[in-house]
């Protein structure tokens, strides 16, 4: 008989079995962690022939998939795609074409749509579409003959490209009425460079059509003709190398110059061209503003067509959700002798060929910055599948759907149902606004060499564009698309976050009155409005590498954190009141809530108002008065978290304490202003008197330095370096506030938040805000406080004015220092590509206070 194992053998076998089981479980967990850690973003680039697209995909860290993979995060095609393909995409996917964009990318469609807005779109040469407008063209030619004038016309195929089929005519009788052509007046007085005619290829990125978002790349290509230009006459009409600027045409000429530098050859960069304008004392800022206006007005004309086509492809997608489409467009623009831009055509599939080094440099930047702005994340696919599963369960169990009212329902039931629908509509719109705020914050951090031109930061310009957009929709929606028309006319689309919260609160109050409940005062509810919570900022700091898929603008993660904070708040509800330093505001006791740059009336203004009215400066805990407008806020409005409880009963001593606090705050503000007034910037290697003389010399010779400073600030410095210039001032301001106000974190100070808004305003539109302070044009930074709900004292305003002056002085000193360094290193032919020369180390500059 086989012997039974002894006790020790049993224990050994059991121990070995348990150890093996634990090892197996640990290996499974390790594999799961590794799988999550190595999640990748996939890209299907089978539809492109350009190598530069593959290079950009590799640099972004995306993984190329099989040619037949239709589930990739990014799909890139050189040509336009069918609408069926866009309709089949999942919400986490992105494709590089919009449906309906052909309304401005075909020459005949562009001319037809532009004729509806003759007063605004004066940047299109006069155009006739054959054969439909042949009679009008003949009548125009007869009128010219009667006036004894003769003009040259350029004839193009209706859907041509790359310069094929283009010719010039002066005898209009040669044109036939049955040909499908585009006939335009020829611009015979172009702006010449070295005697050659040229045009500009400007790159535009459209990331969304709902709402419309347009970005302009601050570089591009200058494409020159290869024969000296002469006004058209009968002898030179056939010399296309003189009259056409298309690269596909001129590259075949033996005089075409290929040069590796950006200031020579038949193809140059717009960056070089702006320096050329500056050298000739021409307004570079006006040049970019005119280009931006031309682009925005053109895309406003296309917006109704694109939005309607997009909605037809994505019928179940709610308004304001992430767009599955984006598009990089190539605008071909001609400048006349007065530097007025004229739109020639728009390419929805611009060439990304890299025959020369300048092509590689410019187009690589266009693609990389565009992919970073898209904010494609590794978690998009997983979250999309989870959302689909949750929606399927809701439909299965009938959750979230309102029961129909019976015909015999009472008026009370009908009113309740109306309030419920109104509340759901407001909550949905509030979520859209918050998503847009988060997107804008991501865009502001990852804009690179792009700058947002729609929606603009200038409120007057935005109102002008919105009027044009409303006119475009009225023309397009006349007699059709009733649902889209109702959505466009919905007043909620123009409301800010705070306005929607006020309406939600009113709905809650109406509902309580209808239910017969007594309206009791409520404390402020935890505030999750802004995605810039402490966790958000911590994650942003860790993920500062710049990859779009690791961006911190993830709405879903923010909402998950908000839910966790809400649960923690419920657990702490019955805990005793903790003692905290009383100079820390209620809104910042758990997480700093800052006003969003893109939402002037965000609900973080409520926290600021609380701090402005209730800011004791002693370290003893004190009771605060609750404001009535805050106390009545609904518990369902998802306000920001706070562990400080607010008393609902006032006592006489609290009013005196609050009044004393305000007086102390005014004294500290005056002391801050006095120190700001004595602050001076230190010039490396020079005394303070010499630094003052340098600034005075620049201002005395401002006519000479203006164009150079504009080129340095608006063109040569990207958004990151511009922010570093202002950070020199910002760091000094923070140290002053810490010293005077005796606080470790200046984020809790109302005054510092005002300064932050000023800094953000100075950086808007790629630094245009600060430049406006030099030339006294455009929107002043003070307009950000004109419609604000916050009250500003005279001392606070003077502090902000002094900060603007310090920023101006800082820019002038950095500009002068970099100019001196360039002169010592490279003489007259400075190397503008060397970023160490363009922008010196910020640590070399600082502000010092000289108090007597």
């Amino acid at each position: 008989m086989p012997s039974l194992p002894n006790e020790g053998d049993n224990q050994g076998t059991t121990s070995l079995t348990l150890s093996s089981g634990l090892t197996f479980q640990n290996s499974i967990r390790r594999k799961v962690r590794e799988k999550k850690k190595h999640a990748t973003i996939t890209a299907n680039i089978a539809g492109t022939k350009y190598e530069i697209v593959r290079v950009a995909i590799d640099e972004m860290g995306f993984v190329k998939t099989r040619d037949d993979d239709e589930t990739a995060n990014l799909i890139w095609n050189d040509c336009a795609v069918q609408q069926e393909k866009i309709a089949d995409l999942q919400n986490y996917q992105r494709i590089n074409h919009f449906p309906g964009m052909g309304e401005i990318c075909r020459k005949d469609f562009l001319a037809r749509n532009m004729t509806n807005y003759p007063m605004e779109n004066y940047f299109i040469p006069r155009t006739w579409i054959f054969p439909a407008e042949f009679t009008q063209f003949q009548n125009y030619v007869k009128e010219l003959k009667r006036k004894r004038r003769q003009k040259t016309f350029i004839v193009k195929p209706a859907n041509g490209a790359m310069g094929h089929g283009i010719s010039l005519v002066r005898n209009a009788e040669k044109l036939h009425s049955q040909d499908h052509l585009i006939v335009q007046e020829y611009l015979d007085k172009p702006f010449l460079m070295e005697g050659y005619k040229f045009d500009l290829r400007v790159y535009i990125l459209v990331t969304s059509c709902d709402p419309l978002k347009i970005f302009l790349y601050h570089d591009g290509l200058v494409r020159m003709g290869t024969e000296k230009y002469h006004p058209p006459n009968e002898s030179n009409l056939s010399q296309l190398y003189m009259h056409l600027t298309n690269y596909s045409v001129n590259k075949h000429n033996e005089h075409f110059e290929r040069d590796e530098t950006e200031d020579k050859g038949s193809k140059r960069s717009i960056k070089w061209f702006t320096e050329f304008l500056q050298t000739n004392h021409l307004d570079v800022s006006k040049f970019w503003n005119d280009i931006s206006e031309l682009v925005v007005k053109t895309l406003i004309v296309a917006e109704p067509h694109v939005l309607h086509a997009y909605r037809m492809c994505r019928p179940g997608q709610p308004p304001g959700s992430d767009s599955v489409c984006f598009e990089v467009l190539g605008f071909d623009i001609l400048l006349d002798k007065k530097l007025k831009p004229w739109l020639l055509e728009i390419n929805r599939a611009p060439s990304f060929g890299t025959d020369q080094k300048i092509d590689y440099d410019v187009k690589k930047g266009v693609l990389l910055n565009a992919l970073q702005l898209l904010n494609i994340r590794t978690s998009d696919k997983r979250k999309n599948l989870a959302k689909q599963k949750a929606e399927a369960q809701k439909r299965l169990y009938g959750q979230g759907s309102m029961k129909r009212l019976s015909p015999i329902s009472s008026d009370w039931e009908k009113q309740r149902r109306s309030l419920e629908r109104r509340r759901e509509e407001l909550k949905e719109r509030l979520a859209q606004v918050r998503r847009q705020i988060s997107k804008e914050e991501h865009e502001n951090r990852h804009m690179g060499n792009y700058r947002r031109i729609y929606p603009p930061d200038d409120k007057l310009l935005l109102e002008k564009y919105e009027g044009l957009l409303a006119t475009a929709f009225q023309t397009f929606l006349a007699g059709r698309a009733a649902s889209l028309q109702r959505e466009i006319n919905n007043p909620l689309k123009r409301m800010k976050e705070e306005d929607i919260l006020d309406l939600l609160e009113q709905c809650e109050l109406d509902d309580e009155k209808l239910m017969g409940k007594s309206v009791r005062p409520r404390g402020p509810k935890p505030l999750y409005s802004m995605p810039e919570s402490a966790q958000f900022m911590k994650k942003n700091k860790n993920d500062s590498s710049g990859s779009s898929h690791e961006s911190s603008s993830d709405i879903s993660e923010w909402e998950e954190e908000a839910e966790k904070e809400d649960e923690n708040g419920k657990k702490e509800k019955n805990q005793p009141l903790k003692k905290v330093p009383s100079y820390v505001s209620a809104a910042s006791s758990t997480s700093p809530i800052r006003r969003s740059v893109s939402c002037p009336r965000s609900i973080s203004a409520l926290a600021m108002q609380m701090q402005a009215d209730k800011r004791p400066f002693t370290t003893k805990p004190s009771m605060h008065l609750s404001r009535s407008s805050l106390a009545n806020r609904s518990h369902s409005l998802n306000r920001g978290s706070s562990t400080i409880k607010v008393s609902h009963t006032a006592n006489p001593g609290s009013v005196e304490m609050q009044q004393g606090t305000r007086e102390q705050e005014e004294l500290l503000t005056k002391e801050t202003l006095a120190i700001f007034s004595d602050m001076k910037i230190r010039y490396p290697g020079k005394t303070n008197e010499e630094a003052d003389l340098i600034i005075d010399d620049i201002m005395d010779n401002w006519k000479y330095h203006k164009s150079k400073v504009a080129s340095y600030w608006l063109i040569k410095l990207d958004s990151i370096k511009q922010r570093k210039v202002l950070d020199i001032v910002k760091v000094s301001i923070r140290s002053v506030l810490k010293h005077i106000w005796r606080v470790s974190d200046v984020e809790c100070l109302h005054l510092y938040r005002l300064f932050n808004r000023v800094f953000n305003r100075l950086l808007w539109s790629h630094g245009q805000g600060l430049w406006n302070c030099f030339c006294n044009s455009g929107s002043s930074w003070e307009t950000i406080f004109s419609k604000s709900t916050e009250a500003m004292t005279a001392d606070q305003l003077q502090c902000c004015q002094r900060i603007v002056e310090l920023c101006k002085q800082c820019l002038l000193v950095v500009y002068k220092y970099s100019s001196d360094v360039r002169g010592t290193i490279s003489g007259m032919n400075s190397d503008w590509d060397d970023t160490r020369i363009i922008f010196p180390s910020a640590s070399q500059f600082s502000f010092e206070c000289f108090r007597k």
Side-chain angles (χ1 to χ4, degrees):
M1 293 179 65
S3 60
L4 294 173
N6 56 30
E7 186 177 357
D9 294 338
N10 281 335
Q11 291 175 355
T13 304
T14 305
S15 176
L16 179 63
T17 304
L18 289 174
S19 177
S20 301
L22 290 174
T23 304
F24 177 71
Q25 292 177 1
N26 290 337
S27 64
I28 292 178
R29 292 171 182 170
R30 193 181 304 113
K31 289 180 180 178
V32 171
R33 285 197 300 267
E34 290 177 356
K35 187 175 181 181
K36 290 182 179 179
K37 184 177 180 180
H38 292 92
T40 56
I41 297 176
T42 55
N44 186 337
I45 53 176
T48 182
K49 63 181 180 181
Y50 300 114
E51 185 62 27
I52 192 65
V53 177
R54 294 177 172 83
V55 171
I57 293 296
D58 290 337
E59 289 205 14
M60 289 295 297
F62 298 173
V63 177
K64 294 187 284 289
T65 62
R66 303 185 313 273
D67 293 352
D68 58 347
D69 185 8
E70 299 295 335
T71 64
N73 296 80
L74 174 66
I75 300 175
W76 190 283
N77 284 281
D78 291 339
C79 58
V81 296
Q82 296 181 351
Q83 296 189 4
E84 291 78 7
K85 187 169 185 177
I86 298 176
D88 294 338
L89 293 177
Q90 298 293 327
N91 290 336
Y92 68 88
Q93 294 182 282
R94 300 290 182 270
I95 195 167
N96 68 316
H97 289 290
F98 275 100
M101 195 62 78
E103 291 292 330
I104 59 172
C105 293
R106 276 183 56 122
K107 297 180 180 67
D108 52 348
F109 291 175
L110 175 64
R112 182 191 63 193
N113 288 313
M114 286 300 184
T115 54
N116 296 326
Y117 311 94
M119 295 302 294
E120 286 295 336
N121 300 320
Y122 56 89
F123 46 81
I124 300 289
R126 190 164 186 175
T127 308
W128 296 267
I129 306 172
F130 279 26
E133 298 177 353
F134 179 78
T135 303
Q136 292 93 315
F137 175 71
Q138 290 295 328
N139 292 336
Y140 179 72
V141 171
K142 291 178 182 177
E143 184 67 19
L144 290 177
K145 287 183 178 179
R146 189 180 65 83
K147 296 180 179 179
R148 295 182 179 180
R149 296 173 59 189
Q150 188 174 18
K151 288 193 175 184
T152 305
F153 301 95
I154 184 168
V155 183
K156 307 176 183 178
N159 194 25
M162 302 176 66
H164 296 315
I166 299 179
S167 61
L168 272 65
V169 298
R170 289 173 68 85
N171 186 4
E173 296 176 356
K174 295 181 180 180
L175 299 177
H176 302 288
S177 61
Q178 300 303 319
D179 295 335
H180 292 274
L181 301 170
I182 294 295
V183 180
Q184 286 184 327
E185 284 187 355
Y186 181 74
L187 301 174
D188 56 357
K189 295 180 180 179
F191 186 86
L192 300 180
M193 196 159 51
E194 301 175 6
Y196 293 96
K197 182 181 176 181
F198 68 94
D199 73 348
L200 307 176
R201 167 59 62 87
V202 179
Y203 292 98
I204 302 298
L205 173 65
V206 182
T207 59
S208 170
C209 66
D210 184 20
L212 180 62
K213 285 195 175 180
I214 309 171
F215 297 86
L216 181 147
Y217 192 71
H218 233 244
D219 201 355
L221 297 175
V222 180
R223 307 178 302 178
M224 304 176 65
T226 49
E227 291 185 9
K228 294 283 187 176
Y229 178 80
H230 298 284
N233 52 53
E234 295 295 341
S235 62
N236 65 12
L237 288 180
S238 60
Q239 297 181 16
L240 297 184
Y241 297 136
M242 176 191 298
H243 298 291
L244 299 186
T245 55
N246 305 65
Y247 168 71
S248 56
V249 173
N250 284 278
K251 68 180 181 180
H252 299 295
N253 190 2
E254 60 181 3
H255 299 297
F256 184 85
E257 298 180 14
R258 299 180 183 272
D259 200 289
E260 295 299 323
T261 59
E262 64 178 9
D263 59 343
K264 295 180 181 179
S266 298
K267 187 185 289 187
R268 308 179 188 182
S269 70
I270 293 182
K271 176 184 175 183
W272 170 87
F273 178 68
T274 53
E275 295 177 6
F276 171 83
L277 295 179
Q278 172 196 335
T279 305
N280 289 273
H281 306 289
L282 298 172
D283 194 342
V284 177
S285 178
K286 183 178 184 301
F287 162 77
W288 280 117
N289 290 337
D290 292 344
I291 296 291
S292 301
E293 186 174 0
L294 179 150
V295 171
V296 171
K297 288 181 178 179
T298 304
L299 287 170
I300 281 177
V301 172
E303 167 67 2
H305 303 274
V306 174
L307 179 59
H308 180 66
Y310 183 80
R311 291 286 180 81
M312 294 293 289
C313 294
R314 315 285 298 175
Q317 193 164 338
S321 56
D322 291 337
S323 173
V324 301
C325 298
F326 70 97
E327 192 140 18
V328 178
L329 300 170
F331 276 64
D332 291 344
I333 297 173
L334 181 72
L335 301 176
D336 64 15
K337 65 178 183 179
K338 296 181 180 180
L339 274 184
K340 175 184 176 181
W342 294 85
L343 178 62
L344 300 181
E345 63 179 357
I346 303 171
N347 298 272
R348 69 181 312 180
S351 172
F352 284 103
T354 53
D355 298 340
Q356 298 176 231
K357 181 180 181 299
I358 189 172
D359 287 311
Y360 184 89
D361 295 338
V362 172
K363 295 174 183 179
K364 181 182 176 182
V366 169
L367 293 173
L368 281 177
N369 291 164
L371 293 177
Q372 290 169 356
L373 273 173
L374 292 181
N375 192 23
I376 303 175
R377 301 175 293 264
T378 55
S379 59
D380 288 344
K381 186 174 183 179
R382 172 178 53 83
K383 291 177 181 177
N384 179 67
L385 295 176
K387 185 178 180 181
Q388 289 181 348
K389 184 178 179 181
E391 291 176 352
Q393 289 180 345
K394 283 185 178 181
R395 290 193 299 268
L396 180 62
Y397 297 110
Q399 298 175 355
S401 59
M402 293 184 181
K403 296 181 180 180
R404 292 186 177 181
L405 290 175
S406 62
I408 58 174
S409 299
S410 63
D411 293 340
W412 181 85
E413 292 175 332
K414 293 178 180 179
Q415 292 178 7
R416 282 295 312 277
R417 177 58 52 85
S418 176
L419 282 174
E420 288 177 5
R421 289 177 178 173
R422 179 66 169 170
R423 188 186 299 116
E424 291 301 320
E425 183 183 11
L426 289 170
K427 287 182 178 179
E428 182 180 352
R429 179 57 189 163
L430 180 62
Q432 293 175 17
V433 171
R434 289 174 173 175
R435 280 197 298 268
Q436 292 303 322
I437 292 172
S438 180
K439 290 178 185 177
E440 289 182 6
E441 288 169 349
H442 168 82
E443 291 164 358
N444 292 336
R445 291 191 300 270
H446 300 85
M447 207 168 294
N449 211 19
Y450 281 98
R451 65 185 181 98
R452 188 190 298 110
I453 59 176
Y454 188 89
D457 295 322
D458 189 337
K459 290 186 177 181
L460 295 178
L461 188 59
L462 179 60
E463 291 177 0
K464 175 183 176 181
Y465 287 157
E466 286 181 341
L468 296 177
L469 192 59
T471 303
F473 271 106
Q474 288 175 3
T475 304
F476 176 79
L477 297 174
R480 60 175 177 174
S483 60
L484 183 59
Q485 194 165 1
R486 286 194 299 270
E487 181 186 334
I488 297 301
N489 295 329
N490 189 351
L492 291 180
K493 288 183 71 69
R494 291 178 290 275
M495 286 189 179
K496 301 295 183 182
E497 189 178 12
E498 178 64 18
D499 302 325
I500 298 173
L501 284 167
D502 290 339
L503 293 178
L504 268 172
E505 178 190 350
Q506 188 61 43
C507 285
E508 297 280 346
L509 295 175
D510 292 343
D511 190 26
E512 291 182 353
K513 291 179 182 178
L514 201 60
M515 296 295 293
K517 297 180 181 179
S518 60
V519 181
R520 293 172 296 179
R522 301 168 178 170
K525 189 63 179 163
L527 202 84
Y528 307 139
S529 66
M530 294 297 126
E532 295 183 339
S533 62
Q535 295 87 344
F536 177 89
M537 296 303 294
K538 182 178 180 181
K539 180 182 177 186
N540 184 32
K541 184 180 295 185
N542 296 334
D543 296 344
S544 60
S545 58
S547 64
S548 67
H549 59 278
E550 297 294 340
S551 172
S552 58
S553 60
D554 192 334
I555 291 292
S556 302
E557 294 179 5
W558 161 61
E559 290 174 348
E560 292 172 3
E561 293 173 2
E563 292 174 359
K564 292 178 182 178
E565 291 179 6
D566 195 17
E567 293 175 1
N568 296 335
K570 292 178 181 178
K571 292 179 183 179
E572 297 175 359
K573 187 173 183 181
N574 297 323
Q575 293 182 1
L577 181 65
K578 298 180 181 179
K579 292 186 178 182
V580 297
S582 57
Y583 57 78
V584 180
S585 65
S588 63
S589 59
T590 58
S591 61
I593 299 175
R594 304 188 308 182
R595 177 184 293 271
S596 170
V597 178
S598 56
C599 185
R601 295 194 64 237
S602 66
I603 58 177
S604 55
L606 301 175
M608 294 181 184
Q609 291 173 3
M610 288 175 61
Q611 295 158 6
D613 290 342
K614 308 173 295 187
R615 193 183 300 276
F617 287 89
T618 63
T619 56
K620 299 179 181 180
S622 60
M623 304 300 290
H624 304 303
L625 281 173
S626 64
R627 298 181 59 175
S628 60
S629 61
L630 294 177
N632 293 332
R633 286 292 189 196
S634 165
H635 284 270
S636 65
L637 300 189
N638 276 351
R639 297 274 177 174
S641 60
S642 174
T643 56
I644 297 181
K645 301 186 187 300
V646 182
S647 173
H648 300 293
T649 58
N651 57 70
S654 64
V655 178
E656 297 176 1
M657 184 180 299
Q658 189 176 16
Q659 186 173 359
T661 299
R662 290 178 180 173
E663 293 177 355
Q664 190 172 359
E665 184 178 8
E666 291 177 359
L667 291 175
L668 292 174
T669 304
K670 290 181 182 294
E671 186 177 351
T672 303
L673 177 59
I675 292 184
F676 284 177
S677 302
D678 296 328
M679 287 176 63
K680 295 181 181 180
I681 188 169
R682 182 178 61 84
Y683 192 103
K686 295 186 182 294
T687 63
N688 300 311
E689 291 75 13
E690 291 173 337
D692 291 340
L693 290 176
I694 289 173
I695 296 175
D696 293 339
D697 179 67
I698 294 176
M699 297 310 297
D700 293 340
N701 299 282
W702 183 241
K703 198 171 197 179
Y704 169 78
H705 289 284
K706 180 179 179 181
S707 58
K708 297 182 180 294
V709 176
S711 176
Y712 177 78
W713 174 248
L714 298 175
I715 300 173
K716 294 182 175 63
L717 296 187
D718 58 18
S719 57
I720 297 176
K721 293 185 176 65
Q722 287 179 344
R723 188 174 293 276
K724 285 183 179 179
V725 172
L726 298 195
D727 281 346
I728 298 172
V729 183
K730 200 170 185 178
V731 169
S732 301
I733 295 300
R734 290 177 64 94
S735 61
V736 169
L737 292 178
K738 286 182 180 180
H739 175 73
I740 297 178
W741 295 73
R742 305 294 182 187
V743 293
S744 58
D745 184 13
V746 296
E747 299 283 345
C748 65
L749 296 178
H750 172 67
L751 186 63
Y752 181 73
R753 282 193 297 273
L754 295 179
F755 298 165
N756 252 341
R757 295 177 63 191
V758 174
F759 284 121
N760 290 329
R761 182 64 177 182
L762 297 180
L763 289 171
W764 77 272
S765 189
H766 197 75
Q768 192 65 44
L770 179 58
W771 181 245
N772 287 345
C773 298
F774 282 98
C775 53
N776 296 323
S777 65
S779 296
S780 171
W781 60 269
E782 296 178 3
T783 58
I784 61 176
F785 301 112
S786 60
K787 295 184 179 180
S788 175
T789 57
E790 306 170 54
M792 279 191 69
T793 64
D795 292 333
Q796 290 173 344
L797 182 60
Q798 290 180 21
C799 285
C800 294
Q801 291 172 344
R802 180 56 184 164
I803 285 179
V804 173
E805 289 298 319
L806 294 176
C807 290
K808 291 168 62 177
Q809 294 176 13
C810 184
L811 171 59
L812 295 179
V813 169
V814 174
Y815 151 76
K816 181 63 176 174
Y817 181 80
S818 62
S819 300
D820 294 342
V821 173
R822 284 200 311 274
T824 57
I825 293 179
S826 53
M828 298 300 294
N829 298 321
S830 58
D831 184 5
W832 289 101
D833 292 331
D834 190 346
T835 56
R836 294 170 301 174
I837 298 175
I838 293 176
F839 184 77
S841 174
S843 61
Q844 297 175 334
F845 303 91
S846 63
F847 278 87
E848 297 179 359
C849 180
F850 302 92
R851 304 202 65 178
K852 297 179 181 180

